[in-house]
Amino acid sequence: MTKLLQVSGLCKAFGGVVVADKIDFSLSAGAMHCLIGPNGAGKSSFFRLLLGEHAPDAGTITFDGDDITHLRSFQRIRRGISVKFQVPGIFKALSVRQNLEVAFQSHLSGSQLEQTIHEMLEFTELSHVVATPAGVLSHGQQQWLEIAMAVGVEPKLLLLDEPTAGMSPDETRKTGDMLNELNNRGITILAVEHDMAFVEQISKRVTVLHFGSIFAEGTIAEIVDHMGVQEIYLGTVDDG
Amino acid sequence: MALFQSLFGMLYQFGDTFAFLVIACAGLAVIFGMMGVINLAHGEFIMCGAYVTASLARVGVPLPMAVLAGALAAGFVGVIVERLVIRHLYHRPLDSIIATWGISLIATQGVLIFLGSTMQGVGTPLGSVDIGGRFYSIYRFVLMGAAVGLLGGLYLLFYHTRFGVIARATIQKPQMAHALGVNTGRMYGLTFGLGAALAGLAGGLYAPTMTMVPTMGATFIVESFVTVVVGGADIFVGAAPAVAILAFIKTGLTAWYGQLFGQIGLLVTVILVIRVLPGGLSGWLKGTTR
Amino acid sequence: MTETSNGTGSSQPRLAFLRRLEGPQTMGRGPLFWGAAAVAVMIAVVYPLMADAWTVGNTAYFMIWTFMAMGLGLVWGYAGALSFGQTAFFGLAGYTYGVLTLNFGAAYGLTIVALLLSVALGALFAVVIGYFMFYGRIQGVFIGIVTLSVTLVMETFMSQTAGPQWRIGEARLNGFNGMSGISPLTVPWPGGDLVLFPGPILYYVLLGLLVLCYLGLRILLNSPFGNVLVAIRENPHRVGMLGYDVRLYQMLAFAIGGGFAALSGALYTAWGQYITPSSMGLTAAALPIVWVAVGGRRDITATLIGTLAVLYGFQALTIYGSQYALVVMGALLLFTVLVAPQGLVVAGMNLVARLFRRAQR
Amino acid sequence: MTDRHSSLFAKGLMAGAAMALALACPAFAQDGPIKIGVLEDQSGDFAAATMVKVHAIQLAAKEINDAGGIDGRPVELVVYDTQSDNRRFQEFMRRVLQSDKVDAVFAGFSSASREAYRPIVNQFDGLAFYNNQYEGGVCDSNMIVTGAVPEQQFSTLIPWMMEEYGPNVYTIAADYNFGQISAEWVRQIVEENGGNMVGEEFIPLGVSQFGQTIQNIQAADADFVVTLIVGAAQASYYEQAAAANVGLPMASSVNVGQGYEHKRFNPPSLANMYVTTNYIEEIDTPASKAFVEKFHGMFPDETYINQEAANSYIAMYLYKQMVERAGSTDHDAIRAVIAEGDVCFEGPSGNTCLDPQSQHMSHTIYLAKVGDDHSITFPKVWEDIKPYWLGEAGCDLTKSDPSAQYTPSSPPPAQ
């Protein structure tokens, strides 16, 4: 099976702080993968490197067969990477519909645009608030809106940074269902997550990041059993 | 002798420009660096300090006392302005530009209406000194000393006093400082007041060398902005080297090509610095030393 | 904020862009608003028949400035970049118009060509400055400082071109005193060229241009381009992560804003047959910001009405308030920023809308 | 302070609408008032030198009305504050000509503001008095200039200074039209008189720090310095030069007479300064003393009566004479009067006459010397100095009206 994303020897340091230390990582098309690790492990920095917000000191990133190491963020997005941030990155002064328009209009127009907006509103159950300014939505709804914005561009790879942060257990479960559905539709997903129950709900394989390098990788069961992982990570999580 | 003359001349010009830039920009830099507020009324605080200084000096108050009083008066006005206006605008930096522009309009025209279009100045004290066949104003050396003292004093204030540490903490993490029991509102007020007082000090120090008119602050403002921008957000790291570089550029261009190129050189430098070093010199210096 | 139209149904594709005349980025929609707008234009059309010549010429003069204000409204209110140097493009276009007409004269509609070239040059200059800034990742208040520096450099430079060596062809730049003897706009007309001295004809030309530009801006702002601009103002980072080149959009918005400022500049020069470096100075540079801030920057209609209102108000203050005019202007700015930060016209429009809704209930 | 307030309040009232005190005298002829527009900077950068012009015009208007008006018609002033802003000049020039329909306008301090309103005066065929000394060269039949021009001030000043102090001259001048053109005149006259320019420096407007300039002057071994600096910021030169003990005699055509620097600065920063001017309040003639007394009678707290104030006052009386001789305010009739070549006025500055070719004035030029205590003496007076350059260069408004401004480096095209 060809790899959709191939990262090799990725390094990045800020002054003395190493946030990525020779990371080798790959993702097959169609995977549903979680990235875990304690605070400061370098998860967010890894995302930023993938998105082109930081330039790596060394290493390459290959996506869908092309070297994207030196592309700018928006160019990577146009090649099929999409992202949803931890803090909802929605446009609070714009309505739900406008948010979706901004997200999709770069590649869709006319009836296609209408149809996609309609589909995404249905999918995220936001149809009834279509005209509401996004800033007044509930936290969960804001998260879903952003997922819709990230998904509507039909990405090959969807990056999710703690998609359930701040959600109620009910909202978390619903989000998990959504992501599974998306994965079934063929979107490759890479998520950073703290909530192990949620990781179990969605993920087939898990990678543990620690001090900027890959500490362990395997199925969820393997990782849970891994002694070292428990020491560095699970032991510190109170509600694991 | 001719070599000594021109060398000393260059050095003197450099020191003179250096002093002007430091003294002119200190108040603006404190307010911008610490609070992120671009104070377009900076020139009017300078004018306030100059007017108070000149008025007192002319009724017989010794000049150093008069300068101090000018600084205090400007600082006092600054605290009031912060309380009435600036305090409501911390989250809207663009609006604070407009508000301070409004204050500047009111101050300039108000002074024109109530105090008249011009005011008699005070003469430059201390006379002149003959160095290698040329005469130099002694007061200019006092200004150079004041500039160096000002830089040192600000460094001590912000790094070695309780006020300075709390002020910097407040500015960097307002919520945290608030949680730790710091009266953040008062800190902002004091910082703005300090900035205004430094502007007043600039006015007081330069009052004996300038024409006293309501718009006199305008002659300081462009140079002040240039320095602050080139220095970057952290004035304590960036200001001194920025002033040194700018003084060098301005002195050189003025000496060889005349005043016009000295002026244009400054403005072009700003544009280049912002393009090459968006964080200013301080951003660049911190980036490489971390 | 509710919305009704914008994209429901896709009939009449040929006139689809007209649907963008109203939308969420601009205040005012529905028959009531357009009815009021039509009445306003009608009044503007018949007004010269009743007013004296000076008032008409004066109103035309005010309309000249609204283009720069609307351009700044786009750059600042919609794209979120406070430009303190729109006067740089204003001045460049003014001088360009002057140099071109002084060299090539006013016959054969050449003044129209000069006007167009001036606007193009202003916009091009804005592209260059915009490229410099946005591709250099300059943000926030620093945009204000860079643009202010640009306009001050230009003022300083033009002020010292008094010497005879500073000439472009026939046109002496003439330093601080400014360039004079410039031709007014001249339209070739059967039976003799039509010289647009400040008067009713110029008034109607400007009114037409104003309506055109206003409607064009509305369409632009409610288009996908406008959506992205507002999104950039709200959260530029996220917009980049949706696959847009944020810098390109900012630069384009800046170029359009510069083009509008340039249009004002060329028209102003043609109107007064005169352009001076002080039109790029600090005071001149601050004025557009004052108009837009007092009127309201987040809405193009508010910017337009506000600019006209402030221009009238300040002139009236100068006539009747004598020396106190500048003090009142400063106080008005403070009042706006502290009490009605979204702008007085927007605050007024919101108030009217609220009263209207209450009355309906 | 209270005096000041009340006079300000009065000014506010007057500026708004028609001047009440002008209308106070009842016995006037049927034609209605003669309206005169006054566009001067009462706020902004130039206010220091121009407020007094408005007062001078008000004084003259009151005197004329008290004496029965112009040809029996009262004078009515329409005053606007132009805020040192060229755009206000454009707006208000249009307003006074088109809406207020004034018969003549007294307008402008800076040359930039004059150039801003001149196209409008031409468009409506108005008549504007520019009452400032300036760089010269305006050849426009719609303009009457009552201020002195460089040839009048420098052809007297420079040779006198060279004779007194020596042939080596250093010029510092504001870097704009006035400074550049004046410096050109100085250079030319120095060379004609066998002198030597040891330095020439142009200072951008708004510069207030002169360290380098002062050093250059000290290095140049000049016998005297010609200071053609303009504006409040540049005036800081004098204080700084005095502090650095430059100690050279100075000559100027613009300072003292306009911005009364000798009153504003502490002695002795302007000591040994020589200025040629057609009027300042210290002039010790009976006419001048009477003028100062009348002025202070109406405006008790007037800071200083400068040459522009006198010029404005003279211009009012010139206009009165021209209208009375022409029998109307019609511009062609007035031009016919001017063409007779004998429009003269014996005023506070002595006898002045209007030159029909250029519509500029001949003046008595006073050489004012500033003493160590900033008192003024007059070592020399030249009578009847004519504004010769424009006429010699080919400007003749009695024949044609180019409505242009010429300079020595771009003179009128040869006929």
Side-chain angles (χ1 to χ4, degrees):
Chain A
M1 196 170 183
T2 58
K3 299 294 185 189
L4 180 67
L5 177 72
Q6 181 82 48
V7 174
S8 43
L10 201 64
C11 292
K12 178 72 186 178
F14 293 102
V17 185
V18 178
V19 296
D21 187 7
K22 294 191 196 114
I23 295 179
D24 292 312
F25 178 82
S26 67
L27 214 51
S28 305
M32 173 84 127
H33 199 102
C34 274
L35 200 59
I36 63 171
N39 284 331
K43 303 184 298 279
S44 298
S45 299
F46 183 57
F47 264 32
R48 288 181 187 282
L49 286 162
L50 289 182
L51 286 166
E53 290 187 72
H54 294 327
D57 299 331
T60 57
I61 304 169
T62 310
F63 179 72
D64 205 14
D66 299 322
D67 185 350
I68 61 164
T69 317
H70 301 293
L71 292 187
R72 297 187 57 89
S73 299
F74 71 91
Q75 293 165 321
R76 300 182 191 210
I77 305 294
R78 286 182 190 169
R79 283 169 185 257
I81 301 179
S82 186
V83 61
K84 181 223 160 298
F85 292 102
Q86 180 179 352
V87 180
I90 54 169
F91 307 112
K92 292 183 175 170
L94 301 189
S95 68
V96 169
R97 160 180 278 280
Q98 278 178 292
N99 269 278
L100 294 175
E101 280 178 6
V102 170
F104 307 153
Q105 70 190 15
S106 61
H107 60 285
L108 295 175
S109 64
S111 56
Q112 267 185 314
L113 177 66
E114 287 307 314
Q115 195 179 340
T116 311
I117 288 176
H118 184 69
E119 274 171 25
M120 292 319 300
L121 287 171
E122 295 278 301
F123 179 68
T124 51
E125 299 177 18
L126 290 171
S127 302
H128 60 292
V129 288
V130 63
T132 312
V136 304
L137 296 179
S138 78
H139 181 73
Q141 285 174 320
Q142 292 190 0
Q143 298 278 34
W144 293 333
L145 174 59
E146 202 185 358
I147 289 176
M149 288 163 72
V151 168
V153 300
E154 292 175 14
K156 294 172 187 149
L157 171 63
L158 176 61
L159 301 176
L160 300 168
D161 192 357
E162 301 199 25
T164 65
M167 282 189 176
S168 69
D170 202 35
E171 289 173 332
T172 305
R173 177 142 296 281
K174 211 159 132 188
T175 307
D177 292 341
M178 270 182 209
L179 296 185
N180 279 326
E181 166 68 21
L182 289 172
N183 189 233
N184 288 340
R185 291 188 194 175
I187 298 177
T188 311
I189 295 177
L190 175 62
V192 164
E193 191 48 70
H194 273 301
D195 183 341
M196 287 310 285
F198 181 72
V199 172
E200 282 182 56
Q201 185 195 350
I202 64 167
S203 189
K204 294 159 194 159
R205 286 185 73 80
V206 176
T207 295
V208 184
L209 218 52
H210 188 46
F211 286 128
S213 60
I214 291 181
F215 184 81
E217 192 169 330
T219 64
I220 186 92
E222 286 167 359
I223 293 298
V224 170
D225 288 345
H226 194 296
M227 287 304 291
V229 172
Q230 287 179 5
E231 265 173 43
I232 64 154
Y233 183 68
L234 297 179
T236 65
V237 174
D238 43 13
D239 61 352
Chain B
M1 199 62 200
L3 183 67
F4 171 77
Q5 250 187 2
S6 53
L7 263 183
F8 183 82
M10 286 294 282
L11 208 65
Y12 172 85
Q13 292 310 330
F14 175 80
D16 195 36
T17 312
F18 182 86
F20 181 75
L21 291 176
V22 167
I23 294 171
C25 90
L28 191 74
V30 164
I31 290 173
F32 177 65
M34 302 290 285
M35 312 167 77
V37 171
I38 290 195
N39 178 21
L40 282 183
H42 179 62
E44 280 57 51
F45 285 115
I46 291 177
M47 182 258 294
C48 170
Y51 265 57
V52 171
T53 301
S55 312
L56 291 178
R58 283 184 30 206
V59 297
V61 178
L63 189 64
M65 299 291 293
V67 170
L68 205 64
L72 284 176
F76 180 67
V77 175
V79 170
I80 294 173
V81 164
E82 196 275 345
R83 175 61 57 90
L84 292 180
V85 178
I86 311 294
R87 179 156 300 184
H88 310 285
L89 303 174
Y90 286 125
H91 303 296
R92 298 188 270 140
L94 299 184
D95 284 355
S96 66
I97 295 182
I98 300 167
T100 49
W101 169 259
I103 293 171
S104 154
L105 275 182
I106 296 173
T108 314
Q109 191 62 20
V111 167
L112 177 71
I113 291 172
F114 287 106
L115 299 179
S117 53
T118 145
M119 181 171 162
Q120 193 177 352
V122 281
T124 312
L126 302 177
S128 62
V129 59
D130 183 342
I131 299 174
R134 302 260 177 84
F135 289 100
Y136 296 94
S137 164
I138 295 174
Y139 190 71
R140 291 269 152 183
F141 292 105
V142 173
L143 290 176
M144 293 176 207
V148 174
L150 195 61
L151 280 178
L154 282 177
Y155 174 79
L156 287 180
L157 178 67
F158 279 100
Y159 284 86
H160 293 280
T161 65
R162 202 177 127 69
F163 166 80
V165 173
I166 295 176
R168 286 192 302 136
T170 308
I171 272 69
Q172 278 162 16
K173 288 270 186 302
Q175 292 89 353
M176 185 65 85
H178 194 67
L180 291 173
V182 174
N183 183 344
T184 49
R186 209 182 61 173
M187 285 315 297
Y188 278 122
L190 284 176
T191 312
F192 195 88
L194 174 68
L198 289 172
L201 183 70
L205 285 172
Y206 276 91
T209 74
M210 287 183 63
T211 318
M212 309 287 289
V213 290
T215 51
M216 68 183 293
T219 61
F220 290 83
I221 203 147
V222 173
E223 268 100 343
S224 313
F225 271 108
V226 167
T227 313
V228 168
V229 171
V230 172
D234 190 331
I235 52 154
F236 305 107
V237 181
V243 169
I245 290 172
L246 289 172
F248 180 75
I249 292 173
K250 191 173 181 208
T251 316
L253 286 174
T254 306
W256 286 306
Y257 298 106
Q259 291 254 26
L260 173 75
F261 286 89
Q263 295 273 304
I264 290 184
L266 277 192
L267 293 168
V268 171
T269 308
V270 182
I271 299 172
L272 291 181
V273 164
I274 289 184
R275 178 67 181 88
V276 181
L277 310 170
L281 280 174
S282 66
W284 180 65
L285 288 170
K286 281 160 114 184
T288 53
T289 52
R290 185 160 60 189
Chain C
M1 191 183 284
T2 59
E3 64 187 283
T4 49
S5 66
N6 199 16
T8 48
S10 52
S11 57
Q12 289 181 311
R14 264 178 303 132
L15 294 174
F17 71 94
L18 283 184
R19 271 187 289 116
R20 300 204 193 278
L21 278 174
E22 50 184 40
Q25 315 298 14
T26 51
M27 281 179 130
R29 62 179 56 81
L32 194 67
F33 172 81
W34 291 108
V39 170
V41 174
M42 290 298 285
I43 291 173
V45 168
V46 296
Y47 158 81
L49 306 176
M50 299 175 288
D52 70 272
W54 179 75
T55 327
V56 174
N58 198 44
T59 310
Y61 165 73
F62 286 159
M63 288 197 286
I64 286 171
W65 298 103
T66 57
F67 300 103
M68 177 150 72
M70 289 195 296
L72 179 63
L74 175 78
V75 172
W76 180 20
Y78 285 89
L82 172 54
S83 166
F84 214 125
Q86 292 303 94
T87 41
F89 315 119
F90 179 95
L92 179 71
Y95 271 98
T96 308
Y97 180 85
V99 167
L100 287 173
T101 54
L102 283 174
N103 276 302
F104 299 108
Y108 317 115
L110 275 174
T111 55
I112 312 285
V113 178
L115 180 79
L116 294 175
L117 283 176
S118 310
V119 172
L121 195 66
L124 188 69
F125 185 47
V127 167
V128 173
I129 301 292
Y131 173 80
F132 207 56
M133 291 195 302
F134 297 115
Y135 284 69
R137 299 193 178 209
I138 292 168
Q139 291 167 342
V141 289
F142 284 95
I143 289 177
I145 294 176
V146 174
T147 46
L148 182 61
S149 301
V150 169
T151 194
L152 290 181
V153 168
M154 290 180 60
E155 187 209 12
T156 312
F157 179 80
M158 291 312 295
S159 295
Q160 58 82 51
T161 56
Q165 72 274 30
W166 295 103
R167 58 163 70 235
I168 301 175
E170 292 294 303
R172 275 278 293 270
L173 296 180
N174 210 28
F176 178 82
N177 286 6
M179 232 164 39
S180 50
I182 298 164
S183 305
L185 280 177
T186 309
V187 185
W189 202 259
D193 285 356
L194 216 54
V195 182
L196 298 185
F197 277 121
I201 303 177
L202 181 66
Y203 172 89
Y204 284 118
V205 168
L206 288 172
L207 182 66
L209 205 55
L210 180 59
V211 169
L212 216 61
C213 285
Y214 169 73
L215 295 180
L217 270 177
R218 278 187 81 105
I219 290 172
L220 182 78
L221 287 169
N222 288 313
S223 74
F225 181 79
N227 272 349
V228 175
L229 283 191
V230 175
I232 288 172
R233 182 187 77 203
E234 297 284 314
N235 189 343
H237 177 236
R238 188 71 187 96
V239 177
M241 290 303 153
L242 289 169
Y244 294 99
D245 188 349
V246 170
R247 307 166 303 174
L248 179 67
Y249 275 84
Q250 287 175 317
M251 190 182 81
L252 286 176
F254 196 72
I256 296 170
F260 272 90
L263 179 59
S264 279
L267 288 172
Y268 168 78
T269 308
W271 173 87
Q273 299 159 257
Y274 177 70
I275 181 77
T276 136
S278 69
S279 55
M280 296 180 282
L282 184 64
T283 314
L287 277 176
I289 297 175
V290 171
W291 306 328
V292 175
V294 172
R297 60 179 180 265
R298 295 274 170 99
D299 182 76
I300 201 74
T301 315
T303 304
L304 176 61
I305 297 173
T307 301
L308 287 171
V310 173
L311 282 166
Y312 269 113
F314 281 10
Q315 191 186 60
L317 268 175
T318 313
I319 294 173
Y320 302 110
S322 181
Q323 294 184 312
Y324 295 91
L326 289 171
V327 177
V328 177
M329 286 180 210
L332 186 66
L333 279 185
L334 278 183
F335 177 82
T336 309
V337 165
L338 291 176
V339 180
Q342 75 274 48
L344 292 180
V345 173
V346 173
M349 283 160 96
N350 285 340
L351 190 71
V352 168
R354 210 176 307 142
L355 290 176
F356 191 69
R357 238 174 281 144
R358 194 172 301 162
Q360 277 187 325
R361 214 173 278 160
Chain D
M1 196 50 92
T2 48
D3 268 2
R4 177 152 197 100
H5 271 145
S6 59
S7 88
L8 274 166
F9 180 60
K11 249 181 284 167
L13 284 179
M14 286 184 272
M19 233 181 52
L21 78 128
L23 295 169
C25 263
F28 290 119
Q30 310 297 319
D31 286 346
I34 287 182
K35 287 168 105 177
I36 292 180
V38 180
L39 309 185
E40 297 288 356
D41 302 317
Q42 297 173 59
S43 51
D45 290 343
F46 303 130
T50 48
M51 302 260 263
V52 65
K53 292 175 75 179
V54 182
H55 295 170
I57 294 164
Q58 287 167 342
L59 172 66
K62 183 175 183 299
E63 286 177 10
I64 289 171
N65 283 339
D66 287 349
I70 297 177
D71 217 1
R73 295 165 64 189
V75 172
E76 181 187 323
L77 300 182
V78 181
V79 187
Y80 295 116
D81 173 13
T82 38
Q83 299 178 331
S84 311
D85 182 344
N86 297 337
R87 280 175 296 193
R88 293 283 182 228
F89 276 97
Q90 295 174 304
E91 293 169 28
F92 291 144
M93 182 56 79
R94 204 171 285 284
R95 187 177 167 96
V96 290
L97 292 178
Q98 228 182 339
S99 176
D100 300 318
K101 299 194 168 34
V102 298
D103 299 293
V105 196
F106 287 34
F109 178 74
S110 73
S111 284
S113 62
R114 183 197 63 240
E115 290 306 296
Y117 72 62
R118 213 158 52 80
I120 298 164
V121 177
N122 282 314
Q123 187 198 332
F124 294 103
D125 195 22
L127 181 65
F129 285 79
Y130 180 62
N131 303 317
N132 270 49
Q133 64 104 327
Y134 80 117
E135 70 272 9
V138 169
C139 180
D140 186 333
S141 69
N142 297 97
M143 300 288 303
I144 293 173
V145 179
T146 60
V149 286
E151 66 262 33
Q152 294 173 308
Q153 292 173 290
F154 292 123
S155 66
T156 47
L157 175 68
I158 300 296
W160 192 89
M161 288 297 287
M162 287 172 64
E163 193 154 303
E164 191 79 14
Y165 291 105
N168 298 315
V169 183
Y170 196 109
T171 301
I172 60 171
D175 192 0
Y176 79 120
N177 310 53
F178 171 78
Q180 296 250 7
I181 293 172
S182 297
E184 205 173 326
W185 276 101
V186 172
R187 201 184 312 138
Q188 199 183 320
I189 294 172
V190 165
E191 278 159 17
E192 280 169 12
N193 288 275
N196 182 22
M197 292 299 301
V198 295
E200 193 174 64
E201 198 169 323
F202 293 98
I203 317 289
L205 294 168
V207 161
S208 69
Q209 302 298 313
F210 288 89
Q212 184 70 47
T213 306
I214 288 168
Q215 206 166 301
N216 296 346
I217 292 172
Q218 292 195 352
D221 286 328
D223 292 321
F224 65 96
V225 182
V226 180
T227 57
L228 305 166
I229 54 187
V230 168
Q234 290 194 348
S236 303
Y237 165 80
Y238 294 112
E239 195 63 60
Q240 293 171 22
N245 199 6
V246 171
L248 290 171
M250 295 178 282
S252 177
S253 68
V254 57
N255 298 117
V256 174
Q258 180 166 292
Y260 50 101
E261 286 81 359
H262 61 298
K263 292 277 186 187
R264 285 155 50 202
F265 295 177
N266 272 17
S269 54
L270 257 75
N272 229 4
M273 165 91 156
Y274 294 85
V275 182
T276 38
T277 178
N278 68 311
Y279 186 78
I280 49 175
E281 72 172 28
E282 285 89 350
I283 286 174
D284 196 17
T285 61
S288 166
K289 279 182 172 165
F291 176 61
V292 171
E293 199 169 305
K294 280 189 293 189
F295 214 112
H296 285 142
M298 188 161 168
F299 301 100
D301 49 357
E302 191 64 63
T303 343
Y304 190 75
I305 303 163
N306 60 12
Q307 58 184 0
E308 273 83 27
N311 293 338
S312 303
Y313 178 87
I314 294 165
M316 280 292 282
Y317 278 98
L318 280 178
Y319 183 65
K320 174 178 190 291
Q321 183 191 141
M322 290 187 286
V323 171
E324 284 175 349
R325 281 170 60 179
S328 88
T329 57
D330 178 70
H331 294 163
D332 288 330
I334 286 179
R335 278 181 206 120
V337 172
I338 294 174
E340 290 169 26
D342 59 348
V343 176
C344 293
F345 179 66
E346 182 84 34
S349 65
N351 193 39
T352 60
C353 294
L354 189 57
D355 166 37
Q357 281 190 319
S358 63
Q359 301 192 1
H360 285 50
M361 305 283 298
S362 69
H363 287 290
T364 302
I365 297 291
Y366 299 83
L367 178 69
K369 178 190 179 184
V370 183
D372 285 343
D373 57 350
H374 282 193
S375 64
I376 300 276
T377 50
F378 297 95
K380 173 98 179 157
V381 177
W382 294 269
E383 276 179 15
D384 193 27
I385 299 295
K386 295 204 161 52
Y388 57 84
W389 177 71
L390 263 176
E392 283 177 9
C395 165
D396 190 349
L397 292 170
T398 56
K399 298 203 174 93
S400 68
D401 176 17
S403 297
Q405 185 178 10
Y406 300 114
T407 64
S409 55
S410 53
Q415 303 295 316

